[in-house]
Coordinates of all heavy atoms in Angstrom, one line a residue:
M1 N 188.0 -65.8 255.2 CA 189.4 -65.7 254.7 C 189.6 -66.7 253.6 O 189.3 -67.9 253.7 CB 190.3 -65.9 255.8 CG 190.6 -64.7 256.6 SD 192.1 -64.0 255.9 CE 192.8 -63.0 257.1
D2 N 190.2 -66.2 252.6 CA 190.5 -67.1 251.5 C 192.0 -67.4 251.4 O 192.7 -66.5 251.0 CB 190.0 -66.4 250.2 CG 189.4 -67.4 249.3 OD1 189.4 -68.6 249.6 OD2 189.0 -67.0 248.2
V3 N 192.3 -68.5 251.7 CA 193.8 -68.8 251.7 C 194.1 -69.5 250.4 O 193.5 -70.4 250.0 CB 194.2 -69.7 252.9 CG1 195.7 -69.9 252.8 CG2 193.7 -69.1 254.2
R4 N 195.1 -69.0 249.8 CA 195.5 -69.5 248.5 C 196.4 -70.7 248.8 O 197.4 -70.7 249.4 CB 196.3 -68.5 247.7 CG 195.3 -67.7 246.9 CD 196.1 -67.0 245.8 NE 195.2 -66.0 245.1 CZ 195.6 -65.3 244.1 NH1 196.8 -65.4 243.8 NH2 194.7 -64.5 243.5
I5 N 196.1 -71.8 248.2 CA 196.9 -73.0 248.3 C 197.9 -73.0 247.1 O 197.5 -72.8 246.0 CB 196.1 -74.2 248.2 CG1 195.1 -74.2 249.3 CG2 197.0 -75.5 248.3 CD1 194.0 -75.3 249.2
S6 N 199.1 -73.1 247.4 CA 200.1 -73.0 246.4 C 200.5 -74.4 245.9 O 201.6 -74.9 246.0 CB 201.4 -72.3 246.9 OG 201.9 -73.1 248.0
G7 N 199.5 -74.9 245.3 CA 199.8 -76.3 244.7 C 199.5 -76.2 243.2 O 199.2 -77.2 242.6
N8 N 199.6 -75.1 242.7 CA 199.2 -74.9 241.3 C 200.3 -74.7 240.4 O 200.4 -73.7 239.7 CB 198.2 -73.8 241.3 CG 197.1 -74.1 240.3 OD1 197.1 -75.2 239.7 ND2 196.2 -73.2 240.1
A9 N 201.3 -75.5 240.4 CA 202.5 -75.2 239.6 C 202.5 -76.0 238.3 O 203.4 -76.7 238.0 CB 203.7 -75.6 240.5
S10 N 201.4 -75.8 237.6 CA 201.4 -76.5 236.3 C 202.0 -75.6 235.2 O 201.7 -75.8 234.1 CB 199.9 -76.8 236.0 OG 199.2 -75.6 235.8
D11 N 202.8 -74.7 235.7 CA 203.3 -73.8 234.7 C 204.7 -74.1 234.3 O 205.5 -73.3 234.0 CB 203.4 -72.4 235.4 CG 202.7 -71.3 234.6 OD1 201.6 -71.6 234.0 OD2 203.3 -70.3 234.4
E12 N 204.9 -75.4 234.3 CA 206.3 -75.8 234.0 C 206.9 -75.5 232.7 O 206.2 -75.7 231.7 CB 206.4 -77.3 234.2 CG 205.4 -78.1 233.4 CD 205.6 -79.5 233.5 OE1 205.2 -80.2 234.4 OE2 206.3 -80.1 232.6
S13 N 208.0 -75.1 232.7 CA 208.8 -74.8 231.4 C 208.0 -74.2 230.3 O 207.9 -74.7 229.2 CB 209.4 -76.1 230.9 OG 208.4 -76.9 230.3
R14 N 207.5 -73.1 230.7 CA 206.9 -72.3 229.5 C 208.0 -71.4 229.1 O 209.0 -71.2 229.7 CB 205.7 -71.5 230.0 CG 206.1 -70.3 230.9 CD 204.8 -69.8 231.6 NE 203.9 -69.2 230.6 CZ 203.3 -68.0 230.7 NH1 203.6 -67.3 231.8 NH2 202.5 -67.5 229.8
G15 N 207.8 -70.7 228.1 CA 208.9 -69.9 227.6 C 209.9 -70.7 226.8 O 210.9 -70.2 226.3
K16 N 209.5 -71.9 226.6 CA 210.4 -72.7 225.7 C 209.7 -72.8 224.4 O 209.7 -73.8 223.8 CB 210.7 -74.1 226.3 CG 212.1 -74.5 226.1 CD 212.3 -75.9 226.6 CE 213.7 -76.3 226.2 NZ 214.0 -77.7 226.6
V17 N 209.3 -71.7 224.0 CA 208.6 -71.6 222.7 C 209.7 -71.7 221.6 O 210.7 -71.1 221.6 CB 207.9 -70.3 222.5 CG1 207.2 -70.3 221.1 CG2 206.9 -70.1 223.6
S18 N 209.5 -72.7 220.7 CA 210.4 -72.8 219.7 C 210.4 -71.6 218.7 O 209.5 -71.5 217.9 CB 210.1 -74.1 218.9 OG 208.8 -74.0 218.3
S19 N 211.4 -70.8 218.9 CA 211.4 -69.6 218.1 C 211.9 -70.0 216.7 O 212.9 -70.6 216.5 CB 212.4 -68.6 218.7 OG 213.7 -69.2 218.8
R20 N 211.1 -69.5 215.8 CA 211.5 -69.8 214.4 C 212.3 -68.7 213.9 O 211.8 -67.8 213.3 CB 210.3 -70.1 213.5 CG 209.2 -69.0 213.8 CD 208.2 -69.1 212.7 NE 207.3 -67.9 212.8 CZ 206.4 -67.6 211.9 NH1 206.3 -68.3 210.9 NH2 205.7 -66.5 212.1
C21 N 213.6 -68.8 214.1 CA 214.4 -67.8 213.5 C 215.1 -68.2 212.2 O 216.2 -68.0 211.9 CB 215.5 -67.3 214.5 SG 216.1 -68.6 215.5
G22 N 214.3 -68.9 211.5 CA 214.7 -69.3 210.2 C 214.7 -68.1 209.2 O 215.5 -68.0 208.3
E23 N 213.7 -67.3 209.5 CA 213.6 -66.1 208.6 C 214.7 -65.1 209.0 O 214.6 -64.6 210.1 CB 212.3 -65.5 208.7 CG 211.2 -66.5 208.8 CD 209.9 -65.8 209.1 OE1 209.8 -64.6 208.9 OE2 208.9 -66.5 209.4
R24 N 215.6 -64.8 208.2 CA 216.6 -63.9 208.5 C 216.1 -62.5 208.1 O 215.6 -62.2 207.1 CB 217.9 -64.1 207.8 CG 217.6 -64.7 206.4 CD 218.5 -64.1 205.4 NE 219.8 -64.8 205.4 CZ 220.8 -64.5 204.5 NH1 220.6 -63.5 203.7 NH2 221.9 -65.1 204.5
Q25 N 216.2 -61.6 209.1 CA 215.8 -60.2 208.8 C 217.0 -59.5 208.2 O 217.8 -58.9 208.9 CB 215.4 -59.5 210.0 CG 214.5 -60.3 210.9 CD 214.1 -59.6 212.2 OE1 215.0 -58.9 212.7 NE2 212.9 -59.8 212.6
D26 N 217.0 -59.5 206.9 CA 218.1 -58.8 206.3 C 217.9 -57.3 206.6 O 216.9 -56.9 206.9 CB 218.1 -59.0 204.8 CG 218.3 -60.4 204.4 OD1 217.9 -61.3 205.2 OD2 218.9 -60.7 203.3
E27 N 219.0 -56.6 206.4 CA 218.8 -55.2 206.5 C 218.4 -54.6 205.3 O 218.6 -53.4 205.0 CB 220.2 -54.6 207.0 CG 220.6 -55.2 208.3 CD 221.9 -54.7 208.7 OE1 222.4 -53.7 208.2 OE2 222.5 -55.3 209.6
W28 N 217.9 -55.4 204.4 CA 217.4 -54.9 203.1 C 218.5 -54.2 202.4 O 219.6 -54.4 202.7 CB 216.2 -54.0 203.3 CG 215.0 -54.8 203.7 CD1 214.6 -55.2 205.0 CD2 214.0 -55.3 202.8 NE1 213.5 -55.9 204.9 CE2 213.1 -56.0 203.6 CE3 213.8 -55.2 201.4 CZ2 212.0 -56.6 203.1 CZ3 212.7 -55.8 200.9 CH2 211.8 -56.6 201.7
R29 N 218.1 -53.4 201.5 CA 219.1 -52.7 200.7 C 219.1 -51.2 201.0 O 219.6 -50.4 200.4 CB 218.9 -52.9 199.2 CG 218.7 -54.4 199.0 CD 219.5 -54.7 197.8 NE 220.4 -53.7 197.3 CZ 221.2 -53.8 196.3 NH1 221.3 -54.9 195.7 NH2 222.0 -52.8 196.0
R30 N 218.3 -50.9 202.1 CA 218.0 -49.5 202.3 C 219.4 -48.8 202.6 O 219.5 -47.6 202.4 CB 217.0 -49.3 203.4 CG 217.6 -49.7 204.7 CD 216.7 -49.6 205.9 NE 217.3 -50.3 207.0 CZ 216.8 -50.5 208.2 NH1 215.6 -50.0 208.3 NH2 217.4 -51.1 209.1
I31 N 220.3 -49.5 203.1 CA 221.5 -48.9 203.5 C 222.3 -48.4 202.3 O 222.8 -47.4 202.2 CB 222.4 -49.8 204.4 CG1 221.7 -50.0 205.8 CG2 223.7 -49.2 204.6 CD1 222.4 -50.8 206.7
S32 N 222.3 -49.4 201.3 CA 223.1 -49.0 200.1 C 222.3 -47.9 199.3 O 222.9 -47.1 198.7 CB 223.3 -50.2 199.3 OG 222.1 -50.8 198.8
I33 N 221.0 -48.0 199.5 CA 220.3 -46.9 198.8 C 220.5 -45.6 199.4 O 220.6 -44.6 198.8 CB 218.7 -47.3 198.8 CG1 218.5 -48.5 198.0 CG2 217.9 -46.1 198.3 CD1 217.0 -49.0 198.1
M34 N 220.6 -45.6 200.7 CA 220.8 -44.4 201.4 C 222.2 -43.9 201.5 O 222.7 -43.4 202.6 CB 220.2 -44.6 202.8 CG 218.7 -44.6 202.8 SD 217.9 -43.3 201.9 CE 216.3 -43.4 202.6
D35 N 222.9 -44.0 200.5 CA 224.3 -43.4 200.5 C 224.2 -41.9 200.6 O 223.4 -41.3 200.0 CB 225.0 -43.9 199.1 CG 225.5 -45.3 199.2 OD1 225.8 -45.8 200.3 OD2 225.5 -45.9 198.2
R36 N 225.2 -41.4 201.2 CA 225.3 -40.0 201.3 C 226.4 -39.5 200.3 O 227.4 -40.2 200.0 CB 225.7 -39.6 202.7 CG 224.7 -39.9 203.7 CD 225.0 -39.4 205.1 NE 226.3 -39.9 205.6 CZ 227.0 -39.3 206.5 NH1 226.6 -38.2 207.1 NH2 228.2 -39.8 206.8
W37 N 226.1 -38.4 199.8 CA 227.0 -37.8 198.8 C 227.6 -36.5 199.2 O 226.8 -35.7 199.8 CB 226.3 -37.7 197.4 CG 226.0 -39.0 196.8 CD1 225.2 -40.0 197.2 CD2 226.6 -39.5 195.5 NE1 225.2 -41.0 196.4 CE2 226.0 -40.7 195.3 CE3 227.4 -38.9 194.6 CZ2 226.3 -41.5 194.2 CZ3 227.8 -39.7 193.5 CH2 227.2 -40.9 193.3
E38 N 228.8 -36.3 199.0 CA 229.4 -35.0 199.4 C 229.8 -34.2 198.2 O 230.3 -34.6 197.2 CB 230.7 -35.3 200.2 CG 231.4 -34.1 200.6 CD 232.7 -34.4 201.4 OE1 233.2 -35.5 201.4 OE2 233.1 -33.5 202.2
C39 N 229.5 -32.9 198.4 CA 229.8 -31.9 197.4 C 231.3 -31.7 197.5 O 231.9 -31.3 198.5 CB 229.1 -30.6 197.6 SG 229.5 -29.3 196.5
T40 N 232.0 -31.9 196.3 CA 233.5 -31.7 196.3 C 233.9 -30.3 196.3 O 235.0 -29.9 196.4 CB 234.1 -32.5 195.1 OG1 233.5 -31.9 193.9 CG2 233.9 -33.9 195.2
V41 N 232.9 -29.4 196.1 CA 233.2 -28.0 196.0 C 233.2 -27.3 197.4 O 234.1 -26.6 197.8 CB 232.2 -27.3 195.0 CG1 232.5 -25.8 195.0 CG2 232.3 -27.9 193.6
C42 N 232.1 -27.6 198.1 CA 231.9 -26.9 199.3 C 231.8 -27.8 200.5 O 231.8 -27.3 201.7 CB 230.7 -26.0 199.3 SG 229.1 -26.9 199.4
G43 N 231.7 -29.1 200.3 CA 231.7 -30.0 201.4 C 230.3 -30.3 201.9 O 230.2 -31.1 202.9
Y44 N 229.4 -29.8 201.3 CA 228.0 -30.1 201.7 C 227.7 -31.6 201.5 O 228.2 -32.2 200.5 CB 227.0 -29.3 200.8 CG 225.6 -29.7 200.9 CD1 224.8 -29.3 201.9 CD2 225.0 -30.6 200.0 CE1 223.5 -29.7 202.0 CE2 223.7 -31.0 200.0 CZ 222.9 -30.6 201.1 OH 221.6 -31.0 201.2
I45 N 227.0 -32.1 202.4 CA 226.7 -33.6 202.3 C 225.2 -33.8 202.1 O 224.4 -33.3 202.9 CB 227.2 -34.3 203.6 CG1 228.7 -34.3 203.6 CG2 226.7 -35.8 203.6 CD1 229.3 -35.0 204.9
Y46 N 224.9 -34.4 201.0 CA 223.5 -34.7 200.8 C 223.1 -36.0 201.5 O 223.7 -37.1 201.3 CB 223.2 -34.9 199.3 CG 221.8 -35.4 199.1 CD1 220.7 -34.5 199.2 CD2 221.5 -36.7 198.8 CE1 219.4 -34.8 199.0 CE2 220.1 -37.1 198.6 CZ 219.1 -36.2 198.7 OH 217.8 -36.6 198.6
D47 N 222.2 -35.9 202.5 CA 221.8 -37.1 203.2 C 220.4 -37.4 202.8 O 219.4 -36.7 203.0 CB 221.8 -36.7 204.7 CG 221.5 -37.9 205.6 OD1 221.0 -39.0 205.0 OD2 221.7 -37.9 206.8
P48 N 220.2 -38.6 202.1 CA 218.9 -39.0 201.6 C 217.8 -39.1 202.7 O 216.7 -38.9 202.4 CB 219.2 -40.4 201.0 CG 220.7 -40.5 200.8 CD 221.3 -39.6 201.8
E49 N 218.3 -39.3 203.9 CA 217.2 -39.4 204.9 C 216.6 -38.1 205.2 O 215.5 -38.0 205.8 CB 217.9 -40.0 206.2 CG 218.2 -41.4 206.1 CD 218.7 -42.0 207.5 OE1 218.4 -41.3 208.5 OE2 219.3 -43.1 207.5
E50 N 217.3 -37.0 204.9 CA 216.8 -35.7 205.2 C 216.3 -35.0 203.9 O 215.5 -34.1 203.9 CB 217.9 -34.9 205.8 CG 218.3 -35.4 207.2 CD 219.4 -34.5 207.8 OE1 219.6 -33.4 207.3 OE2 219.9 -34.9 208.8
G51 N 216.8 -35.5 202.8 CA 216.4 -34.8 201.6 C 217.1 -33.4 201.5 O 218.1 -33.2 202.2
D52 N 216.5 -32.6 200.7 CA 217.0 -31.3 200.6 C 215.8 -30.3 200.5 O 215.2 -30.0 199.5 CB 217.8 -31.2 199.3 CG 218.2 -29.7 199.0 OD1 218.3 -28.9 200.0 OD2 218.4 -29.4 197.8
P53 N 215.5 -29.7 201.7 CA 214.4 -28.8 201.8 C 214.6 -27.6 200.9 O 213.6 -27.1 200.3 CB 214.5 -28.3 203.3 CG 215.2 -29.4 204.0 CD 216.2 -29.9 203.0
V54 N 215.8 -27.2 200.7 CA 216.1 -26.0 199.8 C 215.7 -26.3 198.4 O 215.1 -25.5 197.7 CB 217.6 -25.6 199.9 CG1 217.8 -24.4 199.0 CG2 217.9 -25.3 201.3
G55 N 216.1 -27.5 198.0 CA 215.8 -27.9 196.6 C 214.5 -28.6 196.5 O 214.2 -29.2 195.4
D56 N 213.7 -28.6 197.5 CA 212.4 -29.2 197.5 C 212.5 -30.7 197.2 O 211.7 -31.3 196.5 CB 211.5 -28.6 196.4 CG 210.0 -28.7 196.7 OD1 209.7 -29.0 197.9 OD2 209.2 -28.7 195.8
I57 N 213.4 -31.3 197.9 CA 213.6 -32.8 197.8 C 213.1 -33.4 199.0 O 213.5 -33.1 200.1 CB 215.1 -33.2 197.6 CG1 215.6 -32.4 196.3 CG2 215.2 -34.7 197.4 CD1 215.0 -32.8 195.0
D58 N 212.2 -34.4 198.8 CA 211.6 -35.1 200.0 C 212.6 -35.9 200.7 O 213.5 -36.5 200.1 CB 210.4 -35.9 199.6 CG 209.2 -35.1 199.1 OD1 209.1 -34.0 199.6 OD2 208.4 -35.6 198.3
P59 N 212.5 -36.0 202.0 CA 213.3 -37.0 202.8 C 213.1 -38.4 202.2 O 212.0 -38.8 201.9 CB 212.8 -36.8 204.2 CG 212.2 -35.5 204.3 CD 211.6 -35.2 202.9
G60 N 214.2 -39.1 202.2 CA 214.0 -40.5 201.7 C 214.3 -40.6 200.2 O 214.1 -41.7 199.6
T61 N 214.8 -39.5 199.6 CA 215.1 -39.6 198.2 C 216.6 -39.9 198.0 O 217.4 -39.2 198.4 CB 214.8 -38.2 197.5 OG1 213.4 -37.8 197.8 CG2 215.0 -38.3 196.0
P62 N 216.8 -41.0 197.3 CA 218.2 -41.4 197.1 C 218.9 -40.3 196.1 O 218.2 -39.7 195.3 CB 218.2 -42.7 196.4 CG 216.8 -43.2 196.6 CD 215.9 -42.0 196.9
F63 N 220.2 -40.2 196.3 CA 220.9 -39.2 195.4 C 220.6 -39.5 193.9 O 220.5 -38.6 193.1 CB 222.4 -39.3 195.7 CG 223.2 -38.2 195.0 CD1 223.2 -37.0 195.5 CD2 223.9 -38.5 193.8 CE1 224.0 -36.0 194.8 CE2 224.6 -37.6 193.2 CZ 224.6 -36.3 193.6
E64 N 220.6 -40.8 193.6 CA 220.4 -41.2 192.2 C 219.1 -40.7 191.7 O 218.9 -40.6 190.5 CB 220.5 -42.7 192.1 CG 221.9 -43.3 192.3 CD 222.3 -43.5 193.7 OE1 221.5 -43.1 194.6 OE2 223.3 -44.1 194.0
D65 N 218.1 -40.5 192.6 CA 216.8 -40.1 192.1 C 216.6 -38.6 192.0 O 215.6 -38.1 191.6 CB 215.7 -40.7 193.1 CG 215.5 -42.2 192.8 OD1 216.1 -42.7 191.9 OD2 214.6 -42.8 193.4
L66 N 217.6 -37.9 192.4 CA 217.5 -36.5 192.3 C 217.4 -36.1 190.8 O 218.0 -36.7 190.0 CB 218.8 -35.8 192.9 CG 218.9 -36.0 194.4 CD1 220.2 -35.4 194.9 CD2 217.8 -35.3 195.2
P67 N 216.7 -35.0 190.6 CA 216.6 -34.6 189.2 C 218.0 -34.1 188.7 O 218.8 -33.7 189.5 CB 215.6 -33.4 189.3 CG 215.6 -33.0 190.7 CD 215.9 -34.3 191.5
D68 N 218.1 -34.3 187.4 CA 219.5 -33.9 186.8 C 219.8 -32.5 187.0 O 221.0 -32.1 187.0 CB 219.5 -34.3 185.3 CG 219.6 -35.8 185.1 OD1 220.0 -36.5 186.0 OD2 219.2 -36.2 184.0
D69 N 218.8 -31.7 187.1 CA 219.1 -30.3 187.3 C 219.2 -29.8 188.7 O 219.3 -28.7 189.1 CB 218.1 -29.4 186.6 CG 216.7 -29.7 187.1 OD1 216.5 -30.6 187.9 OD2 215.7 -28.9 186.7
W70 N 219.3 -30.8 189.6 CA 219.5 -30.5 191.0 C 220.9 -30.0 191.2 O 221.8 -30.5 190.6 CB 219.2 -31.8 191.8 CG 219.3 -31.5 193.3 CD1 218.4 -31.1 194.2 CD2 220.5 -31.8 194.1 NE1 218.9 -31.0 195.4 CE2 220.2 -31.4 195.4 CE3 221.8 -32.3 193.8 CZ2 221.1 -31.5 196.5 CZ3 222.7 -32.4 194.9 CH2 222.4 -32.0 196.2
V71 N 221.0 -29.0 192.1 CA 222.3 -28.5 192.4 C 222.5 -28.4 193.9 O 221.5 -28.4 194.6 CB 222.5 -27.1 191.7 CG1 222.5 -27.2 190.2 CG2 221.5 -26.1 192.2
C72 N 223.7 -28.3 194.3 CA 224.1 -28.2 195.7 C 223.4 -27.0 196.2 O 223.5 -25.9 195.7 CB 225.6 -28.1 195.8 SG 226.1 -27.7 197.5
P73 N 222.7 -27.1 197.3 CA 222.0 -26.0 197.9 C 222.9 -24.9 198.5 O 222.4 -23.8 198.8 CB 221.1 -26.7 199.0 CG 221.8 -28.0 199.3 CD 222.5 -28.4 198.0
Q74 N 224.1 -25.3 198.6 CA 225.1 -24.3 199.2 C 225.9 -23.6 198.2 O 226.1 -22.4 198.3 CB 226.0 -25.0 200.2 CG 225.3 -25.4 201.5 CD 226.4 -25.8 202.6 OE1 227.5 -25.6 202.4 NE2 225.9 -26.4 203.6
C75 N 226.3 -24.3 197.2 CA 227.2 -23.6 196.3 C 226.7 -23.7 194.8 O 227.3 -23.1 193.9 CB 228.6 -24.1 196.4 SG 228.8 -25.8 195.7
G76 N 225.7 -24.5 194.6 CA 225.1 -24.6 193.2 C 225.9 -25.5 192.3 O 225.7 -25.5 191.1
A77 N 226.7 -26.4 192.9 CA 227.5 -27.3 192.1 C 226.4 -28.4 191.6 O 225.5 -28.7 192.2 CB 228.5 -28.0 192.9
T78 N 226.7 -28.9 190.4 CA 225.9 -29.9 189.8 C 226.2 -31.3 190.4 O 227.2 -31.4 191.1 CB 226.0 -29.9 188.3 OG1 227.4 -30.2 188.0 CG2 225.6 -28.6 187.7
K79 N 225.3 -32.2 190.0 CA 225.5 -33.6 190.6 C 226.8 -34.2 190.3 O 227.4 -35.0 191.0 CB 224.4 -34.5 190.1 CG 223.0 -34.1 190.8 CD 221.9 -35.0 190.2 CE 222.1 -36.4 190.6 NZ 220.9 -37.2 190.0
D80 N 227.4 -33.8 189.1 CA 228.7 -34.3 188.7 C 229.7 -34.1 189.7 O 230.7 -34.8 189.8 CB 229.1 -33.7 187.4 CG 228.0 -33.9 186.3 OD1 227.1 -34.7 186.5 OD2 228.1 -33.2 185.2
L81 N 229.6 -33.0 190.5 CA 230.6 -32.6 191.4 C 230.5 -33.3 192.7 O 231.1 -32.9 193.7 CB 230.6 -31.1 191.5 CG 231.0 -30.4 190.2 CD1 230.7 -28.9 190.3 CD2 232.4 -30.7 189.8
F82 N 229.5 -34.2 192.8 CA 229.4 -34.9 194.1 C 230.1 -36.3 194.1 O 230.2 -36.9 193.0 CB 227.9 -35.1 194.4 CG 227.2 -33.9 195.0 CD1 227.0 -32.8 194.3 CD2 226.9 -33.9 196.3 CE1 226.4 -31.6 194.8 CE2 226.3 -32.8 196.9 CZ 226.0 -31.7 196.2
E83 N 230.5 -36.6 195.2 CA 231.2 -37.9 195.4 C 230.5 -38.7 196.4 O 230.1 -38.2 197.5 CB 232.7 -37.8 195.7 CG 233.5 -37.5 194.5 CD 235.0 -37.5 195.0 OE1 235.3 -37.6 196.2 OE2 235.8 -37.3 194.0
K84 N 230.3 -40.0 196.2 CA 229.6 -40.9 197.1 C 230.5 -41.1 198.3 O 231.7 -41.4 198.2 CB 229.3 -42.2 196.5 CG 228.5 -43.1 197.4 CD 228.4 -44.5 196.8 CE 227.5 -44.6 195.6 NZ 227.2 -46.0 195.2
L85 N 229.9 -41.0 199.5 CA 230.7 -41.3 200.7 C 230.6 -42.8 201.0 O 229.5 -43.4 200.9 CB 230.1 -40.6 201.9 CG 230.3 -39.0 201.8 CD1 229.6 -38.4 203.0 CD2 231.7 -38.7 201.7
A86 N 231.7 -43.4 201.2 CA 231.8 -44.8 201.4 C 231.1 -45.2 202.8 O 231.2 -44.4 203.7 CB 233.2 -45.4 201.4
Ligands
ZN101 ZN1 228.4 -27.5 197.3

């Protein structure tokens, strides 16, 4: 029989690792880049995270990066007719 002797408590105060939270994790600018835009004609909302499958726009494409000839997939309105959602 092997009996364990519980005299091995050299584990004192661990977990007191000095966490270096000097580096702040900014939320980057991805949020401002990922603004959503609404079509003022039909109410369609362009969401950069989804892109526009109809217009062959890849997910992650900011509205600003859409080609100038891009139009609303629902009503065909041009980019001029979109308004940025706050
Ligand atoms: Zn529209």
Side-chain angles (χ1 to χ4, degrees):
M1 272 268 203
D2 217 359
V3 183
R4 277 197 182 179
I5 304 171
S6 60
N8 218 2
S10 64
D11 231 46
E12 55 174 80
S13 77
R14 72 195 294 227
K16 217 184 178 182
V17 184
S18 59
S19 60
R20 44 166 191 173
C21 34
E23 319 173 16
R24 35 138 87 179
Q25 316 177 321
D26 296 32
E27 298 177 17
W28 287 84
R29 309 225 9 178
R30 68 180 168 187
I31 291 181
S32 62
I33 292 175
M34 288 309 200
D35 281 327
R36 295 187 303 160
W37 289 65
E38 179 178 18
C39 175
T40 56
V41 177
C42 72
Y44 167 83
I45 292 177
Y46 176 75
D47 187 344
E49 286 186 20
E50 296 181 8
D52 172 26
V54 178
D56 204 21
I57 303 297
D58 288 333
T61 305
F63 186 82
E64 286 86 350
D65 281 2
L66 293 174
D68 285 339
D69 58 353
W70 181 84
V71 294
C72 173
Q74 283 193 13
C75 72
T78 57
K79 288 176 69 178
D80 303 349
L81 296 169
F82 277 71
E83 277 186 356
K84 185 192 286 188
L85 294 179

